[in-house]
Structures are given as structure tokens and as C-alpha cells.
Amino acid sequence: MWCFYDKLFIGGEWVRPASQETIRVVSASTEEVIGSVPKGVAADADAAVAAARRAFDDPTGWSTWPPERRADALVRLAEYIDKYSASTAIRVSSQNGMPVSIGKLTEGVMPATLLRYYAGLIRDTPVEEHRPSLVSGTTAVRREPLGVVAAIVPWNFPQSLTFFKLAPALAAGCTVIIKPSSETVLDAFLLADAVEEAGLPPGVVNVVPGDGRTVGTHLVQHAGVDKVAFTGSTDAGRTIAEQCGRLLKPVTLELGGKSAGIILDDVDLHRSMRSMFSSTLLNNGQTCFISTRILAPESRYDEVVDAFTAMAARLRVGDALDPRTQIGPVATARQRHSIEAHIAQGKTEGARITTGGQRPQDLDRGWFIEPTIFADVDNQATIAQEEIFGPVLTIIRYRDEDDAVRIANDSVYGLGGTVWTADPEHGLAVARRVHAGAIGVNGFTLDHGAPFGGVKSSGLGRELGPEGLYPYQQIKSVYLPA
Ligand code: NAD
């Protein structure tokens, strides 16, 4: 596959980039160059902000359309997104190593699902509510579109995470500049094709790839950008939060995680193991909310370690585009180095590898790493505290339920988590005690109708569900005397 673009999608047109520089995209499975796009610079970001601003400020434009009209446009866009869904999944999997069986759902199906969901939501939710005043008269409480949004996204789920922002932002009446990650840009260009073919007004959606520290920072600090919606690392999130803080600019941050999977002593491990795979190693472990710290009771510790070791050793590792692949390569050579450094650190911290820990011997191209299980892990160890973002799990002992909850909460992060038990009611009671934004009992799925986000260093604000729409709306009260 060779995807070559020499223009950027700004203001509804394919325009020449300001710089001659390019981003070369490499397949994580084969290490071959599979595409190239222009590398956006500050001048391209300026052009995109100007286009988005014009589209937003147009007195009869997108932001002023009645919700029904915008909902129709979102549904039309969903049809074109559907048209490209198979190609999108292939592009994402080629770039970041996501097994294509997962990519088809999260990157192929999820984007249009989100567009249709938010189209339905704005059709059903009045933008103006008249409340009797507590003094006299009435107050009209209005939800107005917030403005121009910079959506900055990472490489691990590039399309679904884009649509976590794009779908509610468009539904609210905002205009958007998407800044994809340089590792996964090719799918963003298909999204631009869909926007163009769906006939969205010029400037409503713009795509500017480029470095985070240049184009990303430029967008965050740009006076023409009214809101930043960011998913990525906690370090970058902290920097962005500081910049937005100085500018008093609203920001949503979806950041890292080191979630706990609490296995209660009554669990039927045999029944649970299938869903435990997707809640622990989804997308080669490159998923922010997965439970990468497995907390096992003393009484069943060895059994849990054996079950996870057997599951990880059985996983089929291979080319991300092979539909039978369960674990593909990690996204970049840099990412594999970082994972290997964590594995080495884990060994020095006294943890015991029960399976994996190496590069697979039969795969000499691609950034593969074996699914790896660490047993006898202390929760204070680096491998239990830091996000590894690869196919590496740590299994930690606990004494009793209070100890399990204490360990689960002993983390700077608070994004996801799971509780595994034969008694879901009891599991819910334990889940209530865990400091996390989204947690599952006997499984975890991202429900687009329910809010998702983190506490502590995992982020600020929520995406998805009706709550995911509110950050793109400005609330205005209009007082009407009796
Ligand atoms: P990253 O922070 O390096 O980059 C994310 C995006 O931000 C990229 O587009 C990048 O170019 C841009 N960027 C980087 N620094 C920036 C800056 N200072 N200003 C503006 N933009 C900047 O993250 P990554 O390596 O691409 O992604 C992996 C991280 O994302 C992991 O930590 C993971 O946990 C996190 N993540 C979180 C969620 C969530 O919903 N909480 C989901 C997926 C990934």
C-alpha cells in the first residue's frame, strides 16, 4: 500500500502546505514506508484556524443551523465514513499495529456510530429551556456552541478518539481542527475525504498533521481557538493544561492509566478469562483504560498467575492485518524500546516473568514483543506504577478486600478498572470504592452512551454520552421579566 498526499484539507479544499517537509508513515508490522503526507507547520495551523473561525462566525452558517439540520449533516457524514470504514481500519492497523479484527470495530464502525448517536441526541435535546425565575419572570437557559475546537489525538485509537471529540463538537455547532498524531495520519486523510464528499460547509472540519510541540502547541495557544480537546500522555496533558490555564481556555484531557483488575476470591477464572483478555491486553496493551495491574487474592494467587500465563502464551502474535492475529506489533520502534526498558526494570525490581519478555523469534520484521506476564510484583515497583503501554501485565497479591481496594487506589492514575466475581452485586459494591472514571464488573466495554474519562492524573472532564456534548456548549441565561 502506498498512500501519498501532497495537500492539506483546510477550509473545505485541498491546499498546498506552507512547508515542503513531509511525514513518512511506516507499517508497524513490516517496517516498510506505506505513505507520506505534508507535515503541517504553524502557518498551516493559522490557515486552519482562520477557516474554522470563518465557518463558526458565519451569521447564517453551521453554528447557527437548527439542531435538526446539523443532525441531518452528521448522518450524511456517517454514510461517507461508513463508505471508508474498511479502508480506515486497514490504514490504522497498518500504521499502529492494532489487530485488524479490533480496528474494524473501534476504527471502522465506532466513528459513524458516534455521529449517529450525537445526531440523535441533539434532535432530542432542546437547546433552550425556559425556567420560572425564583424572583419573578422567566429565564431562558440556552446551550450555545462553544466555538472553534482544536482536537489533538494520539496514535493508539486514532479514529475513535478523534470522533469522541468531533461528533459531539459538530453536534453542538462547533467547528474543528483535527491534529492527528504523526504515527497515524493516513486515516485522518480518509476522514477528510469523507467530510468533503458529505458536503460539510467549508472550514467546519480541517485536518493539520504536524509535531505536537510545534503545531499542537500553536493550536493550543492560538487566540482563534476557543477550546482544546486532548487525548494523549499525562506529561503532554499537563503542559497543555498549564497553557490553557494561563489563557483561561476550556480543555478536556483524556490521559494515561494504570488500572487495576481486582479478582475476588469467588471468581470462576475459567469463565472470565476470555473477557479478561480484552480488558487487559486490548490493542497489544496500547489502550489507556485496560487493567494492567491484576490484583489477586493470596488464596488463589498461583491459580491466577497460571491462568494469565496460559492465556498470554496462547495468544496468536502476528501481522496486524492478519484477521487471526490477537497481538500485533507495538506502534513504533521507540515504543518497543520503552517497553523493553520497563521489562528490564521489572526484572531488577525482583518481579518474576512467567511468560514472554522477549521479541518473538519467528518475526524478524516489525516491532513485535511477546505478551509478558510479571508475577510477584510489588505495587510500589516501577512496572506497577508507570504506564507501560505494551503487552505487559503485572500480577500483585492482596490480603483481603480492603487491601485490594487500597492497592487499586494506590496509583497516580484513575482511569479504568475491572472487578471479577461470581457475585455482580458484590462486584458493584467493590467498584464503587475504586477511584476511577470508568470501571466494569466482569468485563469492560466503552459504552458510547455513558461518560468516559479519568480522575487524578488520568485527566479532566468526560467524553461520550450526553456528558460528552456539554463541554462543547456554552451556557447562557437570558432573563425575561414577567
Ligand atoms: P502524546 O501525548 O505523545 O501525543 C498525543 C497527541 O498530542 C499527538 O497528536 C501529539 O502530536 C500531540 N502532542 C504532544 N505533545 C503536545 C503538546 N505539548 N502540545 C500539543 N500537542 C501535543 O501521546 P501518544 O504517545 O500519542 O499516546 C499515548 C498516550 O495517550 C498514553 O499515555 C495513553 O495512555 C494516552 N491515551 C489516553 C486515552 C484516554 O482516553 N485517557 C486514550 C488513548 C491514549
Side-chain angles (χ1 to χ4, degrees), residues 8-298:
L8 295 174
F9 187 69
I10 294 174
E13 292 177 353
W14 291 95
V15 299
R16 286 210 177 284
S19 146
Q20 298 293 313
E21 273 192 273
T22 58
I23 299 172
R24 284 185 346 141
V25 185
V26 177
S27 155
S29 295
T30 65
E31 300 180 34
E32 284 164 6
V33 176
I34 53 171
S36 158
V37 305
K39 185 173 184 175
V41 294
D44 300 304
D46 287 341
V49 174
R53 197 71 267 160
R54 270 195 307 279
F56 186 82
D57 293 338
D58 179 348
T60 58
W62 179 256
S63 60
T64 69
W65 287 8
E68 297 73 25
R69 188 171 170 200
R70 275 205 305 275
D72 289 346
L74 260 59
V75 171
R76 195 164 58 250
L77 176 59
E79 285 162 17
Y80 287 92
I81 294 289
D82 277 342
K83 174 180 156 189
Y84 289 116
S85 101
S87 320
T88 300
I90 289 172
R91 285 195 186 188
V92 171
S93 293
S94 305
Q95 295 170 107
N96 73 0
M98 176 188 295
V100 73
S101 57
I102 297 168
K104 274 184 183 164
L105 299 174
T106 64
E107 309 307 284
V109 175
M110 176 80 119
T113 306
L114 286 170
L115 287 171
R116 293 191 175 100
Y117 170 73
Y118 280 105
L121 202 66
I122 48 164
R123 272 192 229 280
D124 295 343
T125 318
V127 289
E128 193 168 295
E129 179 198 338
H130 287 243
R131 295 184 194 166
S133 161
L134 297 181
V135 186
S136 70
T138 16
T139 301
V141 180
R142 293 178 48 73
R143 290 185 174 275
E144 299 186 342
L146 192 70
V148 172
V149 174
I152 303 178
V153 282
W155 45 260
N156 59 336
F157 289 90
Q159 280 302 296
S160 45
L161 292 173
T162 295
F163 279 84
F164 279 24
K165 299 155 186 56
L166 185 65
L170 294 181
C174 295
T175 58
V176 182
I177 300 126
I178 299 167
K179 209 299 280 166
S181 168
S182 297
E183 281 76 23
T184 46
V185 275
L186 299 179
D187 47 295
F189 281 70
L190 275 186
L191 162 55
D193 284 337
V195 167
E196 186 183 26
E197 289 175 36
L200 253 58
V204 168
V205 178
N206 311 272
V207 180
V208 184
D211 283 342
R213 291 218 174 81
T214 52
V215 172
T217 302
H218 193 69
L219 286 169
V220 168
Q221 300 192 321
H222 203 296
V225 169
D226 301 306
K227 179 193 163 65
V228 177
F230 172 80
T231 299
S233 59
T234 296
D235 280 351
R238 195 168 277 122
T239 304
I240 291 170
E242 283 167 9
Q243 291 161 344
C244 288
R246 272 199 299 278
L247 297 164
L248 292 179
K249 189 176 286 194
V251 60
T252 312
L253 301 170
E254 300 285 1
L255 310 176
K258 191 75 187 181
S259 306
I262 304 177
I263 297 185
L264 298 183
D265 59 6
D266 63 352
V267 75
D268 179 342
L269 270 183
H270 184 68
R271 276 187 62 187
S272 305
M273 247 13 240
R274 223 182 136 86
S275 19
M276 278 187 188
F277 166 61
S278 59
S279 70
T280 55
L281 287 169
L282 181 72
N283 190 18
N284 320 325
Q286 301 175 136
T287 308
C288 50
F289 61 73
I290 50 176
S291 302
T292 48
R293 287 183 300 147
I294 305 300
L295 310 192
E298 280 281 9

